[in-house]
Amino acid sequence: MFQSLWQYRHFIVSSIRGDLKGRFVRSRLGGLWFILHPLAQALIFSIVLSEVLKARLPDTESPAAYPIYLLSGLAAWTLFSEILMRSMTVFIEQAPVMKKIAFPRLCLPIIVGGTALINHLLLLFAIFVIFVFLGHMPGRTLVLLPVGIVLIAAIGFGLGVILGVMNVFMRDVAQVMAIVLQLWYWLTPIVYPANVLPENYAFVLKLNPIAPVATLYQDALLFNRWPSAESLIMPAALGLLSMAFAIVFFRRASPELIDVL
């Protein structure tokens, strides 16, 4: 399977390029919408919470700390949610192509992941430009970002492929996950710092594999501090296990995908 994916690497690269061009083919701003959507969401939250409700972060007096904190967490969440949601529906969306062209079906979620990674890099570049205007420059902890990207991509790809295959057989999966992701977002310390959660709900962060990765982004981009290695054990384990299970699950279900579609 991996050998066939390597043989179709040019197909994957050209499909990623075509996906990026095709999503905004008639748009005047084109790929800028990949960046503007999360930035607009961060701007709204920053105005409402930091200016209207006077929300402030502990351990810092910088007036730009909250927007930076929010943008950092949103960058991590946007990558995860895009890979997961698009992987869940990619087999259904590309059903006509799968019926007409012979190629490794696992190429489809890889294409989705490649597109999401490029969008993420563009978003990070836009965030760094905003940091310059805010007078904030990340320190040496910036080298942690590739670790966070790998962990998020692994979890998103693994869960996305599993749920994507299930969604072919049970179309309710995508509808349920849309609701679950909304709840998941608010149970991740992106809009609020983790220490404001009541003690009764503190266990939620320990069970949330995206929480330590979002915190890694915030530590790297805002606080310039190194996260503990223990906090990354769960997301790393989930990423490896979900990807391994996704590959096995996909190989067993792939012969029936075309018939169901």
Side-chain angles (χ1 to χ4, degrees), residues 64-261:
Y66 184 78
I68 296 170
Y69 179 87
L70 187 56
L71 285 170
S72 304
L74 274 177
W77 178 261
T78 302
L79 176 61
F80 170 69
S81 61
E82 182 177 358
I83 295 177
L84 181 61
M85 290 301 295
R86 292 200 63 204
S87 296
M88 274 197 301
T89 59
V90 67
F91 298 118
I92 297 175
E93 292 174 354
Q94 301 298 327
V97 178
M98 294 172 63
K99 294 177 181 179
K100 295 178 182 179
I101 304 176
F103 63 93
R105 311 307 185 201
L106 200 58
C107 287
L108 294 176
I110 293 177
I111 293 169
V112 167
T115 304
L117 286 174
I118 294 176
N119 295 341
H120 186 64
L121 294 177
L122 293 174
L123 176 61
L124 287 178
F125 176 77
I127 289 176
F128 290 149
V129 172
I130 293 175
F131 285 178
V132 171
F133 283 102
L134 294 176
H136 174 77
M137 292 301 295
R140 292 178 299 174
T141 53
L142 196 63
V143 298
L144 292 170
L145 286 187
V147 177
I149 291 173
V150 170
L151 292 176
I152 293 172
I155 297 173
F157 180 83
L159 295 180
V161 171
I162 295 170
L163 295 171
V165 173
M166 294 175 60
N167 192 42
V168 172
F169 297 93
M170 298 178 292
R171 302 297 172 90
D172 294 332
V173 171
Q175 305 299 328
V176 172
M177 281 305 301
I179 300 173
V180 171
L181 272 182
Q182 292 184 25
L183 179 61
W184 197 340
Y185 172 81
W186 288 105
L187 293 178
T188 305
I190 297 173
V191 178
Y192 56 87
N195 56 8
V196 304
L197 275 181
E199 294 183 1
N200 296 337
Y201 298 96
F203 73 95
V204 174
L205 295 182
K206 297 180 180 180
L207 300 177
N208 184 351
I210 302 301
V213 187
T215 302
L216 181 148
Y217 268 66
Q218 293 155 349
D219 286 342
L221 296 176
L222 174 61
F223 297 110
N224 292 326
R225 62 192 180 195
W226 302 90
S228 64
E230 296 179 356
S231 65
L232 301 179
I233 292 177
M234 182 176 63
L238 178 61
L240 290 173
L241 291 175
S242 62
M243 287 189 66
F245 182 77
I247 293 173
V248 174
F249 186 52
F250 180 82
R251 290 192 63 180
R252 294 192 176 185
S254 58
E256 303 178 14
L257 283 180
I258 301 299
D259 296 334
V260 176
L261 291 170

